[in-house]
Amino acid sequence: MFDQAPLDRARQLAARYIGSLRDRPVGIPAPPAELSARLDGPLPQDGRDPAAVIDDLAAAVDPGLIASAGPRYFGFVIGGSLPAALAADWLTSAWDQNAGLYASSPAAAACEGVVARWLLELLDLPREASVGFVTGCQMANFTCLAAARHAVLARAGWDVEGDGFQGAPPVRVVVGAQAHATIFTSLRMLGFGAGRAVVVGADDQGRMRPGELDRALAEISGPTIVCAQAGNVNTGAFDPMGPIADACTRAGAWLHVDGAFGLWARVSPRFAASTAGIERADSWATDVHKWLNVPYDSGLAIISDQSAHRGAMTSSAAYYEMAAGRREPHEFTPEASRRARAFPIYAAIRSLGRAGVSEMVERTCDLAARMADLLAAHPRLRVINEVVLNQVLVDVVPPAALEHDACVRGVIDRVQRSGDCWLGGTTWNGRAAIRVSVSNWSTTPDDIGRAAAAIIGAVSQELRAGS
Ligand SMILES: *Cc1c(COP(=O)(O)O)cnc(C)c1O
């Protein structure tokens, strides 16, 4: 007999936690030793009642939980969980499907097929592209670049899956100076070598300079992959996709786009101009756990050439044709067995509709602009990016006697300790800066006001403490 009691406890505890998100401290650093001590003990010899285990676990981890699913978390780029997506995610665990094979979950395979079609329409990407459901943008970048590697070497008459990289024609990879760290991790894992990438300069917003790309491509011959970015993690800026796509067409290069969050701007007509040309790329990596607000973890590898996608990911050399209407999910991901990630995505899109997704993207961008206005009005704060999306970069202007970077970090530390909101730091043009990302579906104008007040309060405290 399946014991329902732990599920009932989990439901109650989850409801209590979610109900507390608006008011609980967003994140107050707890000493790591204390957090470990709350969980620690000798390896249990004997079992314990499952419901009691759930109670104990929830109580033990509570002080170490960051309310990143809540409305005043502005760190990194982290979304929350839409109600329908979270509920579908619970069911995904209850159903416990192995989504790797059609045979082990026809429902998961069918759902992937439908969600893939919806996503291509929502993001306005080539309808014949294929979609792999992966854990996040890291694995999406990896999968897309594996497909790129397959395609550019196949064109050069080389079977990289069969024969490996040793002795293969050299492949040049070109990246922007502001490419995300996960691009380099992917290059490392795929055998390109992170240090071998040709780096093209970026402008003051972090956008790749297409003229420099052109010049770099002119000096390269043979198989080439270009990695562009839609949505700089600091500024939110987009690489100029039209000119980049032109340059790649001229050079015969594979164009990959890392659009972890920025790709979602395509759902709103407001951002049509900034995302124009993205559809001309060969592959797109994005996250779903960021801006679409599904629970961790969820990312998408989208590849225009389905045969390159399957060629890079399927382990069987002879890719068998998909039976009519029958999708084999493992042909599009590095994983074999895996979770059915399409169910929560389905629920998110179904609950919001195209209009709702577009409204959520626009609303979070409006809130980011509001945050920028509130902070820029303070004499000691300066917004240093063009707020073109949902990201705000903020500088502190300390009096001459105070060291700049220490002051910025001091402010960030005070904000984090306040528990009123949470944001992180970054380095921009070699200097410390405060980064604000508005990516949560539940953030309201009041949350922005409260967070701005907390940031301004932290600035006053930091300047007082330093003087
Ligand atoms: C977040 C992000 C990634 C990495 O995504 P994960 O979900 O952490 O795997 C890659 N590129 C960009 C631009 C990002 O913002």
Side-chain angles (χ1 to χ4, degrees):
M1 269 290 286
F2 195 96
D3 179 4
Q4 301 274 344
L7 294 185
D8 292 339
R9 291 302 295 142
R11 159 99 183 52
Q12 288 162 12
L13 289 162
R16 194 184 302 162
Y17 180 75
I18 290 165
S20 78
L21 274 176
R22 189 162 288 283
D23 297 314
R24 67 181 272 142
V26 183
I28 294 180
E34 183 197 317
L35 293 176
S36 303
R38 295 174 70 94
L39 292 159
D40 211 352
L43 170 68
Q45 179 63 27
D46 300 309
R48 176 156 166 69
D49 171 59
V53 170
I54 295 304
D55 278 336
D56 291 352
L57 175 65
V61 302
D62 193 78
L65 295 177
I66 303 280
S68 51
R72 288 186 313 284
Y73 184 87
F74 306 106
F76 308 96
V77 183
I78 286 188
S81 294
L82 290 162
L86 175 58
D89 196 64
W90 285 0
L91 279 176
T92 301
S93 289
W95 291 332
D96 194 21
Q97 300 289 284
N98 180 346
L101 293 170
Y102 182 91
S104 56
S105 185
C111 192
E112 283 195 5
V114 170
V115 170
R117 195 164 49 72
W118 284 1
L119 285 164
L120 294 175
E121 195 174 331
L122 188 60
L123 299 170
D124 193 17
L125 296 176
R127 305 301 192 264
E128 68 279 9
S130 51
V131 181
F133 293 77
V134 294
T135 49
C137 203
Q138 165 73 83
M139 287 317 289
N141 278 324
F142 172 87
T143 304
C144 290
L145 291 173
R149 185 180 68 166
H150 171 96
V152 298
L153 281 172
R155 275 181 230 147
W158 188 267
D159 168 15
V160 70
E161 284 77 27
D163 296 327
F165 245 155
Q166 300 185 62
V171 179
R172 303 314 300 268
V173 179
V174 185
V175 304
Q178 284 282 325
H180 194 266
T182 54
I183 289 286
F184 295 100
T185 317
S186 303
L187 296 179
R188 217 167 61 199
M189 293 191 289
L190 287 163
F192 289 108
R196 291 281 192 101
V198 177
V199 179
V200 167
D203 67 13
D204 65 342
Q205 297 298 306
R207 293 174 292 228
M208 186 194 283
R209 294 182 191 276
E212 277 193 37
L213 174 64
D214 250 336
R215 284 193 290 281
L217 288 175
E219 290 178 8
I220 294 173
S221 58
T224 306
I225 299 168
V226 173
C227 301
Q229 181 165 261
N232 179 286
V233 75
N234 287 310
T235 64
F238 288 74
D239 287 353
M241 294 307 309
I244 290 173
D246 288 341
C248 289
T249 304
R250 280 193 293 275
W254 177 286
L255 175 56
H256 169 65
V257 177
D258 175 356
F261 58 99
L263 197 61
W264 294 88
R266 273 178 84 73
V267 304
S268 155
R270 217 162 93 181
F271 299 105
S274 51
T275 70
I278 283 184
E279 70 285 354
R280 293 170 58 197
D282 298 288
S283 58
W284 305 264
T286 193
D287 267 317
V288 195
H289 53 222
K290 285 178 177 166
W291 227 350
L292 192 62
N293 280 257
V294 306
Y296 282 96
D297 44 30
S298 195
L300 303 167
I302 308 173
I303 292 153
S304 64
D305 175 359
Q306 183 168 150
S307 67
H309 195 169
R310 295 165 79 203
M313 290 296 129
T314 43
S315 42
S316 62
Y319 327 123
Y320 45 97
E321 280 307 303
M322 275 190 279
R326 180 171 161 159
R327 175 187 170 92
E328 280 300 343
H330 71 91
E331 293 190 346
F332 305 99
T333 63
E335 298 92 346
S337 298
R338 68 180 163 82
R339 181 175 183 76
R341 292 197 184 82
F343 294 137
I345 307 176
Y346 180 94
I349 296 176
R350 189 65 195 84
S351 72
L352 292 182
R354 182 206 287 272
V357 179
S358 175
E359 188 273 336
M360 178 169 70
V361 164
E362 292 180 359
R363 174 162 36 91
T364 42
C365 290
D366 289 342
L367 291 171
R370 186 184 177 99
M371 175 77 95
D373 288 345
L374 290 174
L375 296 180
H378 190 276
R380 292 276 173 207
L381 290 173
R382 217 160 49 89
V383 173
I384 51 178
N385 68 323
E386 294 166 19
V387 182
V388 293
L389 209 63
N390 62 332
Q391 304 289 115
V392 187
L393 261 192
V394 186
D395 191 18
V396 182
V397 188
L402 295 188
E403 205 267 314
H404 173 266
D405 283 10
C407 183
V408 171
R409 295 200 185 97
V411 169
I412 293 169
D413 190 57
R414 285 175 194 277
V415 173
Q416 291 177 355
R417 285 176 184 283
S418 77
D420 284 327
C421 69
W422 204 101
L423 40 74
T426 187
T427 303
W428 188 248
N429 291 332
R431 281 156 59 92
I434 300 171
R435 181 167 68 187
V436 179
S437 174
V438 186
S439 312
N440 191 294
W441 68 279
S442 68
T443 304
T444 65
D446 280 353
D447 291 312
I448 296 294
R450 188 169 153 191
I455 297 166
I456 287 166
V459 170
S460 307
Q461 284 172 15
E462 182 65 21
L463 297 186
R464 235 181 291 128
S467 62

